[in-house]
Amino acid sequence: MNDLRFRLADDTDLPVLVRLRDDAARWMLARGITGQWQPGELDEDHFRRIMASGEVWIAEAGGRPAGAWELWWADEDAWGPQPPVAGYVHRLMVDHAGARPGTGRRLLRAAEQRVSAAGRAFVRLDCLAGNAALSAYYVNDGYRVVGHKAGKEQPGGVPKSFTLLEKALQVGNEG
């Protein structure tokens, strides 16, 4: 179960992606994180749209999904117009029922490697402004807070405020 494999998601993965997202939302709610994600917010159409304009990655361990994430090449809603210097990680999801500790960081490393291999110098992400534990998780992983975005539109929901974080990468570094 230690060996994670990463691959691009396809249409056959849509039900798995929705389940991972809903399970992650329930995991957050069970820990008192109430403002970030809600079960049922995103459906297969959401992930299909992301696959058409960006990338959705699945991590598997022992032939079972261990997690997933979205990788966008632009995020004007949060970051405004930007030169093409970054990749934007969204919806980092870990299957907490079956994944080993440290899986989230391994997913981040894989996302960072993909962004670097694409020749981009930064990986960027955002998290709910009030989620101090998640902000600390990213800061402890080498990300730095570079700003805040108030009133960011949400899929099927009320706009929320986010903390913007980024990490500098070694461009072209595959390892």
Side-chain angles (χ1 to χ4, degrees):
M1 194 76 170
N2 191 22
D3 190 29
L4 281 180
R5 283 187 349 97
F6 303 100
R7 64 175 177 79
L8 282 170
D10 61 35
D11 281 351
T12 64
D13 297 306
L14 292 170
V16 170
L17 293 166
V18 171
R19 179 190 61 79
L20 283 169
R21 173 56 163 65
D22 286 349
D23 287 351
R26 283 188 278 277
W27 183 87
M28 285 184 210
L29 291 171
R31 281 150 187 78
I33 304 167
T34 59
Q36 189 106 10
W37 292 353
Q38 298 296 317
E41 278 180 322
L42 301 180
D43 59 12
E44 291 183 5
D45 286 340
H46 165 82
F47 292 103
R48 192 177 289 113
R49 282 191 304 275
I50 298 303
M51 284 185 224
S53 63
E55 298 175 5
V56 179
W57 287 84
I58 297 241
E60 295 174 325
R64 297 191 37 167
W69 72 91
E70 296 175 8
L71 180 57
W72 303 3
W73 298 111
D75 184 3
E76 288 193 18
D77 288 344
W79 295 82
Q82 295 284 320
V85 297
Y88 301 83
V89 174
H90 287 278
R91 276 168 272 291
L92 185 73
M93 306 171 280
V94 172
D95 182 356
H96 291 280
R100 297 173 67 108
T103 297
R105 280 195 163 65
R106 292 191 60 201
L107 270 58
L108 273 175
R109 291 295 88 71
E112 292 163 5
Q113 289 171 6
R114 171 67 185 109
V115 171
S116 175
R120 305 271 177 121
F122 299 95
V123 64
R124 293 178 176 156
L125 48 82
D126 59 53
C127 66
L128 194 66
N131 192 338
L134 189 55
S135 289
Y137 174 85
Y138 290 125
V139 168
N140 290 336
D141 198 50
Y143 287 78
R144 63 187 186 94
V145 174
V146 295
H148 298 278
K149 171 66 178 179
K152 181 182 173 194
E153 294 295 325
Q154 297 300 292
V158 176
K160 299 177 183 176
S161 295
F162 287 83
T163 299
L164 305 177
L165 300 106
E166 79 176 9
K167 184 179 199 179
L169 303 173
Q170 292 183 344
V171 176
N173 179 14
E174 295 285 339

